[in-house]
Amino acid sequence: MSETPDRSRIGKRLVIGIPMLWLLLFFLIPFAIVLKVSLSEGMIAQPPYGPILEWSEDSWLPAYVGSLFNYEWLLDDPLYITAYLNSIWMALVSTFFCLVIAYPMAYLIARSSPSTRTTLLMMVVLPFWTSSLLRIYALLGLLSPNGYINTVLMWSGLTSAPVQMLQTDFAVYLGIVFTYLPLMVLPLYATLEKLDESLLEASADLGASAVGTFWQVTLPLSGPGIAAGCLLVFIPAVGEYVIPALMGGPDQLMIGKVLYTEFFGNRDWPVASAVAIAMLAFLVIPFMMLRNSSALRGEV
């Protein structure tokens, strides 16, 4: 009888320990390495950065020689600030369009019959079974000057010359929305599917119209799904590199593109690491503060 609590305690520790070990190996240790590189000085060497600790014969303790110079460089150079602001704007607009398109889709799936619901959910998830790069190349084929869309437009007489769709902001927005739309649909569906039907019936019994019921009951209760979907789309969209590189113009400045150029073009690993750490701090810290604030309000 005394072994049952011990086994239960060991089981709980294993359940908690495995994700913590995963977090340690694949987030905290890589984060610590990138943070260390961001504090070092760039060098023409292998690796292309200097140490942040130096040992001397006079002391047992190493001397710290790192600095915040790379972070100060980010603040002084308008290139990085412009890239951050452009990335945030592109991510905000893309998240908004994802929400506008995904909400009616999720609502339709949640209100459909169980058999139809399975089919519709499969259609939402199915694009994830293929590589996102293949999906982007499919979009390139549609939007190119010799693509299907321009062919139909010119055949129908709507245009006399191909419309420039690639290498524009429109193409980048379309690529991000097309890629991340399922990440918005699924959390919205999970929230709307659990919506209590009796609340909608009570609203109708009290005289509310269908539109009034949606604004006063359905939309507020789907808030957690909206928040989860927006986070799932906004966070990866800020650091997106492949879509702006393939579908955007050559002068389009986004932070993912700047990060790639610093790492592989300029081989300035300390500045590139500082860009990555600043981007992570910008995205994670406000959301953690918001989460803690919400938790505190819940406890009160």
Side-chain angles (χ1 to χ4, degrees), residues 128-276:
F128 275 132
W129 292 8
T130 60
S131 167
S132 61
L133 198 57
L134 288 178
R135 283 179 271 148
I136 295 302
Y137 274 110
L139 273 182
L140 290 175
L142 288 174
L143 301 178
S144 67
N146 297 322
Y148 293 107
I149 295 178
N150 271 314
T151 301
V152 171
L153 290 176
M154 294 176 66
W155 173 79
S156 62
L158 293 175
T159 60
S160 57
V163 177
Q164 178 66 34
M165 289 181 280
L166 283 180
Q167 314 298 318
T168 62
D169 288 349
F170 164 75
V172 178
Y173 287 131
L174 183 63
I176 293 176
V177 170
F178 178 66
T179 302
Y180 295 113
L181 188 62
L183 298 179
M184 182 69 82
V185 173
L186 294 178
L188 280 172
Y189 161 75
T191 304
L192 291 171
E193 195 269 337
K194 294 176 183 174
L195 199 63
D196 192 350
E197 293 280 350
S198 62
L199 295 175
L200 306 180
E201 295 172 0
S203 176
D205 292 341
L206 292 173
S209 63
V211 175
T213 299
F214 173 77
W215 285 108
Q216 297 176 17
V217 179
T218 305
L219 189 61
L221 291 178
S222 59
I226 294 174
C230 289
L231 289 179
L232 288 174
V233 174
F234 178 78
I235 291 176
V238 170
E240 181 62 52
Y241 166 72
V242 174
I243 296 173
L246 293 178
M247 305 185 74
D251 56 345
Q252 194 163 43
L253 198 59
M254 290 188 70
I255 199 63
K257 213 169 175 178
V258 172
L259 192 61
Y260 178 89
T261 303
E262 294 292 353
F263 256 116
F264 299 103
N266 302 335
R267 286 186 59 79
D268 195 342
W269 288 19
V271 171
S273 300
V275 171

Side-chain angles (χ1 to χ4, degrees), residues 8-72:
S8 176
R9 197 178 302 115
I10 293 173
K12 289 179 181 177
R13 288 177 179 174
L14 281 176
V15 169
I16 298 173
I18 293 174
M20 294 300 291
L21 181 62
W22 181 275
L23 188 66
L24 175 68
L25 290 177
F26 297 105
F27 176 73
L28 292 180
I29 293 178
F31 176 79
I33 294 173
V34 175
L35 179 63
K36 174 208 163 198
V37 175
S38 72
L39 298 173
S40 64
E41 182 183 358
M43 300 176 68
I44 303 176
Q46 188 68 26
Y49 57 88
I52 61 171
L53 296 176
E54 282 188 354
W55 299 87
S56 64
E57 297 179 353
D58 301 332
S59 173
W60 289 96
L61 295 175
Y64 177 73
V65 294
S67 71
L68 296 175
F69 173 78
N70 297 311
Y71 294 95
E72 295 172 357

